[in-house]
Amino acid sequence: MSTAPRATFRPSSRRGQNFLVDRAVQRRIASASALPPGATVVEIGAGTGNLTDALLTHGLRVIAVEIEEVLVTRLRERFRNRDRVKVVAGDARRLNLRELAGGPFHVVANLPYSVGTRLVVSFVSDAEPPRSLTVLLQREVARRLTAKPGDMALLSVIVQSYAGARRLFDVPSEAFRPRPKVVSSLVRIDPLRSPGLDVTTVESRISMARHGFAQTRKKLRNSLAAGLGRREPDVGAALESAGIDPGRRPQTLALAEWDQVVVALSAGQPAGPAESAGA
C-alpha cells in the first residue's frame, strides 16, 4: 500500500518564522506560564506542535493557531486523538480569538518576529484582553517592553500603560531552526482590567508620549513643541510648572510623569493637531 509523500515546508523569513526546537525550553515555557489545569490557551504560530504538546502535559486546553496550510495538516494529524486541542487555520491578527476560545483565554506562544510587537500591543490594548501572555520575543523588544525610566521607549509607555510586564529568561539562537541572528526572551505580560485601568488617562498619556518620542535625541521641550505645534518657551514654562525639567529626554520619564505633562500642556490650551495611529 503506497503512501502519498509528505508535503515539504520551509520557514518563511518574510514572516519571521524561527521554530523553537529545544524540548527543554518548550517545557520551561509551559511551566513559566503558571496556568492552572483546565485553563484555555491560545498558541499563536503552533508550528510543529511541540510547545502544544508541552502545554497539554500541564492539563491545559489549547487552541493551536497556524497560518501555514502544510503545518495545519500536520498538526491535525498529530493531535487527531487529543480532545483538548483545537487546531485553527488562519492569521491570528484577523481571528476572533475570544470567540474561538469560548471565553477568557491566555496566550502562550513563540511569536513570529515580524508581527510579535504588533500582536502584543493589539492584545494589551483590546477592550477584552487575554488574561495573560507568556510569549517569546526578540530580546531587544522584550527589553523595551519591560524598560524602567531612563531606558523607556514609546513601546514601553504603551504596553506598561495597559499591563504589567517582566522578562523571565533568555533563549539562545541555538534553540531555534533556522537559527535567528538574535537572542530571544520570554516575557510575562498581565493586562490590567477595570476598574484598575483608566482608559481616558492611558490614551492621553500615550498620545502625548508619541510626540515626546518622535524626536528621541531632542530634549522634551523641543520634541513636544514640534509635535504639538507650540512655541518652545511656552512648552518649557508649562513643563516647569508641573515640576518636569524641560531639558530631560523622553526616555527618562515615568508613566505618572507623562500624566503630569498631559495636564500641564492641556491647561488652558487649544487642542493639538490630529495624531497618527499605531505604535
Side-chain angles (χ1 to χ4, degrees):
M1 180 177 177
S2 62
T3 306
R6 200 177 200 203
T8 57
F9 173 76
R10 295 182 184 279
S12 167
S13 58
R14 177 177 62 84
R15 285 182 170 158
Q17 292 174 331
N18 299 89
F19 294 109
L20 180 65
V21 296
D22 188 313
R23 295 296 184 93
V25 174
Q26 291 157 359
R27 291 192 295 269
R28 193 177 176 192
I29 291 171
S31 295
S33 67
L35 300 176
T40 298
V41 169
V42 172
E43 182 191 359
I44 297 167
T48 60
N50 290 337
L51 178 56
T52 314
D53 204 37
L55 293 168
L56 289 173
T57 64
H58 286 259
L60 303 171
R61 174 176 173 257
V62 183
I63 310 298
V65 178
E66 177 54 56
I67 197 171
E68 302 289 354
E69 292 183 9
V70 171
L71 297 179
V72 169
T73 298
R74 293 183 186 177
L75 286 167
R76 286 175 174 161
E77 290 175 355
R78 177 172 182 173
F79 297 110
R80 63 183 181 276
N81 296 321
R82 309 288 289 275
D83 58 6
R84 286 187 287 111
V85 180
K86 179 179 181 180
V87 178
V88 176
D91 186 335
R93 295 170 297 177
R94 296 177 174 83
L95 296 172
N96 186 329
L97 299 181
R98 189 177 182 86
E99 184 177 285
L100 288 171
F105 65 96
H106 303 261
V107 172
V108 181
N110 169 30
L111 294 178
Y113 289 156
S114 60
V115 297
T117 302
R118 281 176 287 169
L119 280 171
V120 167
V121 171
S122 176
F123 279 135
V124 298
S125 60
D126 192 83
E128 294 185 299
R131 291 289 178 85
S132 71
L133 296 93
T134 306
V135 292
L136 268 180
L137 297 161
Q138 294 179 61
R139 183 166 61 182
E140 287 309 307
V141 173
R143 283 175 173 166
R144 290 199 296 274
L145 287 178
T146 60
K148 303 297 182 184
D151 294 307
M152 299 283 276
L154 177 58
L155 182 61
S156 318
V157 175
I158 293 173
V159 172
Q160 292 177 34
S161 291
Y162 288 109
R166 55 194 172 94
R167 281 175 60 201
L168 300 181
F169 57 83
D170 291 340
V171 179
S173 60
E174 292 79 10
F176 300 85
R177 294 290 182 276
R179 290 187 182 184
K181 296 179 180 179
V182 296
V183 174
S184 296
S185 293
L186 188 71
V187 179
R188 169 72 179 217
I189 301 170
D190 292 287
L192 302 173
R193 288 187 284 276
S194 297
L197 182 65
D198 183 340
V199 175
T200 301
T201 297
V202 164
E203 290 177 348
S204 296
R205 177 195 301 156
I206 292 171
S207 179
M208 187 64 71
R210 288 189 194 282
H211 294 305
F213 282 102
Q215 304 180 64
T216 53
R217 294 182 184 275
K218 291 194 174 185
K219 296 176 181 179
L220 194 61
R221 172 187 57 234
N222 306 79
S223 56
L224 289 175
L228 295 168
R230 304 259 287 274
R231 295 175 63 249
E232 286 183 14
D234 294 341
V235 171
L239 292 172
E240 288 178 346
S241 72
I244 305 291
D245 180 355
R248 288 174 63 179
R249 306 290 180 180
Q251 58 266 33
T252 67
L253 268 67
L255 299 186
E257 290 180 304
W258 281 112
D259 296 340
Q260 292 174 245
V261 172
V262 170
V263 173
L265 291 175
S266 299
Q269 295 293 335
E275 297 171 278
S276 58

